[in-house]
Amino acid sequence: MAAQAEYFIETQLPNHQKHYGSFTFPSILSPNPKSSPSSLSVFTEAIKSHKPFLDSLLLKSGALLFRGFPVKTAKDFNDVVEAFGFEELPYVGGAAPRTNVVGRVFTANESPPDQKIPFHHEMAQVPEFPSKLFFFCEVEPGSGGETPIVLSHIVYEKMKENYPEFVDRLEAHGLLYTRVLGEDDDPSSPIGRGWKSTFLTSNKAVAEERAAMLGMKLEWLSNGVKTVMGPIPAIKYDKSRQRKIWFNSMVAAYTGWEDSRNDPVKAVTFGDGQPLPADIIYDCLKILEDECVPIPWKKGDVMLIDNLATLHSRRSFDPPRRVLASLCK
């Protein structure tokens, strides 16, 4: 750990971290004032030379927040992501409307600012999901707009303790997700990604091939397509940390997959098609809120999230706010 002191120092953010015995969530890193003057190239080189330290810290804490580094633009952010050396994950099958900005950088979910985005693991409703995701604050919010994060194994443990039979049934049957997509993106909806951008094609036959590769069934409608995914597991085992995790989009779908095409209560069911109990879902939402850490954005912040360890959400905000994202295999 001595190498860590050459460039990175771990700092504290009162009221925006939780302490779990041997680690703090999230870990917050800032430039060491005793190191050479910070520049983007110094930062990216430090990432490469401190990669084992950063990897071990991410494994331990589940999320890293880099604050105070000279990351100013989407291009800078792309350079930071590239410095970590993770392979890019194409955004196929996700629900959120996004726009490519530069390189492997996209806008985060572009749904309206008055809407909350519920807790979720990124793309938990499809078989191929990112193992890691980056966020970058290009323009900090006028007010609000925090990104709350929560450790998935804590949610699993609380749910198993409070609702053992429900969790057993989830483990036995998994979940079934149903969503109706329009042809084109609908920026007024948090799940407004149209089928053309979801499957990166305007050809229905190609869309069907790509859906089949995800294990997704399509039913074409007059004004779009109904997608059915699953059953897929709702609980996964995190091999790197040797613990079970609450890896699903149950709460997000049941409380947030709502627009002119979709009824959220029908968006997610047990894998056998039976409805989910509303009271338990809303208790799960309360656990998520109680255990979460809201991260207030500052311009230049970069957050690296281990998608197997950590769920994230978004609070409503007053514009402006521009947070960019990048997904990694």
Side-chain angles (χ1 to χ4, degrees), residues 219-255:
E219 180 185 325
W220 294 100
L221 309 172
S222 60
N223 59 345
V225 64
K226 179 180 177 181
T227 67
V228 180
M229 172 64 74
I232 60 173
I235 311 295
K236 288 187 182 290
Y237 185 73
D238 182 351
K239 293 178 183 177
S240 63
R241 298 175 181 86
Q242 298 186 320
R243 64 196 186 196
K244 287 185 176 181
I245 52 173
W246 188 255
F247 196 88
N248 59 68
S249 294
M250 182 188 79
V251 169
Y254 198 93
T255 66

Side-chain angles (χ1 to χ4, degrees), residues 92-212:
V92 179
R98 299 179 187 266
T99 304
N100 184 231
V101 178
V102 61
R104 47 197 290 185
V105 172
F106 287 76
T107 55
N109 190 322
E110 296 176 311
S111 61
D114 62 334
Q115 296 181 4
K116 290 182 179 180
I117 297 173
F119 283 100
H120 61 288
H121 285 282
E122 194 66 32
M123 296 170 67
Q125 73 279 8
V126 294
E128 189 174 3
F129 49 82
S131 69
K132 298 171 183 69
L133 51 145
F134 288 88
F135 291 115
F136 162 61
C137 180
E138 188 176 39
V139 179
E140 64 184 74
S143 66
E146 299 92 345
T147 294
I149 55 177
V150 62
L151 286 167
S152 191
H153 74 286
I154 300 290
V155 180
Y156 171 79
E157 289 168 4
K158 297 272 186 185
M159 288 296 291
K160 182 72 172 176
E161 179 184 342
N162 294 344
Y163 301 104
E165 292 180 1
F166 173 76
V167 172
D168 288 347
R169 190 168 176 198
L170 275 184
E171 295 201 59
H173 295 286
L175 290 168
L176 200 63
Y177 299 94
T178 302
R179 190 160 52 91
V180 177
L181 315 183
E183 185 170 316
D184 298 309
D185 289 357
D186 175 7
S188 71
S189 167
I191 54 164
R193 200 169 180 217
W195 68 262
K196 289 182 177 179
S197 61
T198 296
F199 301 111
L200 306 178
T201 183
S202 57
N203 185 310
K204 289 184 177 180
V206 173
E208 288 179 1
E209 288 174 11
R210 291 179 178 167

Side-chain angles (χ1 to χ4, degrees), residues 40-112:
L40 184 67
S41 61
V42 170
F43 182 29
T44 55
E45 286 305 312
I47 290 169
K48 294 173 186 176
S49 62
H50 294 70
K51 188 71 165 34
F53 162 70
L54 295 173
D55 285 345
S56 66
L57 194 59
L58 182 65
L59 182 66
K60 185 166 69 170
S61 69
L64 307 180
L65 177 65
F66 296 87
R67 175 161 286 180
F69 295 93
V71 187
K72 298 176 181 176
T73 66
K75 172 69 168 62
D76 292 350
F77 174 47
N78 192 71
D79 290 349
V80 169
V81 173
E82 292 280 2
F84 276 88
F86 303 129
E87 189 178 351
E88 182 179 8
L89 180 80
Y91 188 54
V92 179
R98 299 179 187 266
T99 304
N100 184 231
V101 178
V102 61
R104 47 197 290 185
V105 172
F106 287 76
T107 55
N109 190 322
E110 296 176 311
S111 61

